Amino acid sequence: MGGKMAEYLDFFNRYIMGVIEISIQLYFLAKILKKKIWIPFYFLFAVCAVVVNDFFRSAR
């Protein structure tokens, strides 16, 4: 039973928090550069960045 909870926490930390963190970083980068970005682009970019990061992490 404890292993299942660890898997859920790993998923949450890696994917959910990763998407939130990268979205916030992209938002502030756009604000600093004074660029307008389509709102769904934040989510799309963040998901792609997390997937690519996970791919390179597992390739090591």
Side-chain angles (χ1 to χ4, degrees):
M1 185 168 87
K4 196 69 158 171
M5 187 64 171
E7 290 177 25
Y8 289 135
L9 286 174
D10 187 42
F11 175 83
F12 179 78
N13 285 332
R14 182 176 290 171
Y15 297 107
I16 306 300
M17 292 306 293
V19 167
I20 292 170
E21 180 181 342
I22 292 172
S23 296
I24 291 171
Q25 290 174 359
L26 184 61
Y27 172 79
F28 282 109
L29 179 65
K31 286 290 188 186
I32 289 170
L33 296 176
K34 296 180 179 165
K35 300 284 182 185
K36 284 196 170 229
I37 297 179
W38 187 47
I39 299 296
F41 181 74
Y42 293 114
F43 179 73
L44 180 65
F45 179 80
V47 168
C48 291
V50 168
V51 168
V52 168
N53 187 26
D54 190 51
F55 174 75
F56 283 117
R57 183 181 297 153
S58 66
R60 284 194 242 163

